[in-house]
Amino acid sequence: MSSSDALAKSFSVSHSGLFGVDEKSILEILVKWQPEHLSTFRNETSSIFLKDERFSFEKCEEILLKFLKREFKRFKDVVVQWTMHPWERDALKARKALKRGNQAYGLLIELACTRSSDELLGARRAYQSLYSESIEEDVACRVEGIQRQFLVALVSSYRYEGSRMNDVAIESDAQKLNKAIRNGDKTMLIKDEEIVRILTTRSKPHLEAVFKCYYDDFGKDIAEDLGEESGLKDTIYCLCAPPTYFSKDIAEEYNKQYGTPLAKKIEDVALGNYKDFLVTLVQRALAKGSE
């Protein structure tokens, strides 16, 4: 196969009219070419270049230019985020979530609940370094409505991470949670003082024991009793089973809802190195989640 044929094969036109791109192959070939090689390629690749009959030159289709810019930017962004310090990456994600508003506040819950106390503290330090203000004050200023108090408490948390637990406190917390859920307005539970205190200050092992005690005492999973309160339910899942929440559960739920594995969907809609990068991450996460 000639280098011109190899490069042409790196650009594949899909049924939707978009172009698949193998960035590595393109770069390996293009850097070795002389001007005459490029001219030959343009003339022989009509799926990418159109002949301008009036001025006699080969012009690149605009859709390809836009698509290439988007694909290379996506790949650049994911590589940059993957290689930067975890504290900085979390601070950037938190800032982005706050700018996007209510629909992105779930990301704040994930960051606050799936990180260790020291990791969350590191993200808070990075946030101050990057934006010259604390994440706590930014959440307090930017978040409106009933979620504000809860989210401020979550991002401010520094939980005990030892193994020591108190059976009396576990039973007491389970009873208080049940009382708050049973007697409170289901649409306002995220503002309940006892629920906020327990979920934002207790250690993760303590909370796991509380939720088990809740099930044993009342015969229901606490997530079921929370009804449609997604913020509190996400908090519980992220606190007690983060690897499962981020990998196995999400992948299985995606497969259940859409009838196709998440990795397969990524292969279908993403392209080039960006696709390979995402698929590798998902497959590694799934393998870790099944251990």
Side-chain angles (χ1 to χ4, degrees):
M1 180 186 293
S2 68
S3 59
S4 179
D5 291 337
L7 184 58
K9 197 170 184 179
S10 297
F11 292 84
S12 58
V13 183
S14 74
H15 295 298
S16 63
L18 297 180
F19 296 85
V21 183
D22 184 339
E23 297 98 331
K24 185 176 180 182
S25 297
I26 294 172
L27 295 176
E28 288 177 347
I29 296 170
L30 283 179
V31 294
K32 301 175 183 178
W33 275 9
Q34 299 299 321
E36 59 269 23
H37 296 134
L38 291 169
S39 177
T40 299
F41 172 71
R42 289 195 301 271
N43 279 291
E44 293 180 353
T45 317
S46 59
S47 62
I48 302 172
F49 296 94
L50 299 177
K51 190 76 172 180
D52 188 296
E53 300 298 338
R54 182 181 178 188
F55 297 109
S56 190
F57 75 100
E58 308 83 28
K59 57 187 179 183
C60 188
E61 287 203 85
E62 185 177 0
I63 188 175
L64 175 66
L65 293 175
K66 292 180 178 179
F67 188 71
L68 284 175
K69 286 179 181 178
R70 185 173 72 249
E71 285 302 300
F72 278 107
K73 182 180 184 300
R74 292 168 73 185
F75 182 60
K76 178 200 73 175
D77 289 346
V78 74
V79 170
V80 168
Q81 287 199 33
W82 182 250
T83 54
M84 68 173 48
H85 195 288
W87 295 357
E88 182 180 15
R89 183 167 59 241
D90 283 350
L92 288 169
K93 289 180 179 179
R95 184 74 165 195
K96 185 176 181 180
L98 286 169
K99 285 185 175 181
R100 287 177 58 194
N102 185 64
Q103 72 274 18
Y105 292 159
L107 180 57
L108 294 175
I109 293 174
E110 293 172 7
L111 292 176
C113 297
T114 62
R115 285 12 177 203
S116 68
S117 293
D118 285 337
E119 288 169 343
L120 179 56
L121 180 60
R124 289 158 62 187
R125 287 171 172 165
Y127 198 96
Q128 287 195 37
S129 175
L130 292 173
Y131 307 114
S132 298
E133 57 190 1
S134 73
I135 187 172
E136 297 92 334
E137 66 176 306
D138 217 4
V139 171
C141 290
R142 291 173 180 262
V143 174
E144 298 180 353
I146 64 172
Q147 301 178 77
R148 176 187 290 163
Q149 178 186 358
F150 182 70
L151 291 177
V152 170
L154 270 187
V155 299
S156 307
S157 178
Y158 192 88
R159 301 174 190 273
Y160 168 68
E161 295 193 335
S163 58
R164 181 178 59 83
M165 289 187 285
N166 184 306
D167 290 340
V168 174
I170 290 170
E171 177 66 35
S172 174
D173 283 350
Q175 294 291 334
K176 288 176 180 177
L177 286 173
N178 178 259
K179 182 179 178 181
I181 294 171
R182 186 177 67 251
N183 298 332
D185 181 346
K186 288 293 181 72
T187 65
M188 302 292 287
L189 291 178
I190 202 167
K191 284 191 67 175
D192 184 273
E193 290 185 4
E194 288 292 359
I195 293 177
V196 172
R197 177 186 66 80
I198 293 169
L199 293 186
T200 63
T201 64
R202 292 299 198 183
S203 74
K204 294 177 183 180
H206 175 93
L207 287 172
E208 288 183 33
V210 168
F211 301 146
K212 182 179 183 304
C213 180
Y214 188 102
Y215 183 83
D216 292 341
D217 287 353
F218 307 108
K220 291 185 70 176
D221 190 293
I222 188 173
E224 295 178 43
D225 273 354
L226 288 172
E228 299 301 316
E229 178 40 74
S230 59
L232 294 178
K233 291 168 77 170
D234 286 347
T235 298
I236 290 170
Y237 292 140
C238 288
L239 283 168
C240 295
T244 303
Y245 175 80
F246 281 120
S247 57
K248 188 176 180 181
D249 274 6
I250 289 178
E252 289 182 351
E253 186 63 26
Y254 188 92
N255 192 13
K256 184 190 304 181
Q257 288 193 30
Y258 301 106
T260 185
L262 179 58
K264 176 63 168 58
K265 184 62 177 179
I266 292 173
E267 289 180 346
D268 290 342
V269 300
L271 302 167
N273 292 335
Y274 179 62
K275 175 192 72 176
D276 296 339
F277 190 87
L278 292 180
V279 170
T280 300
L281 288 182
V282 170
Q283 289 176 340
R284 190 174 74 172
L286 285 171
K288 186 175 181 180
S290 63
E291 290 177 357

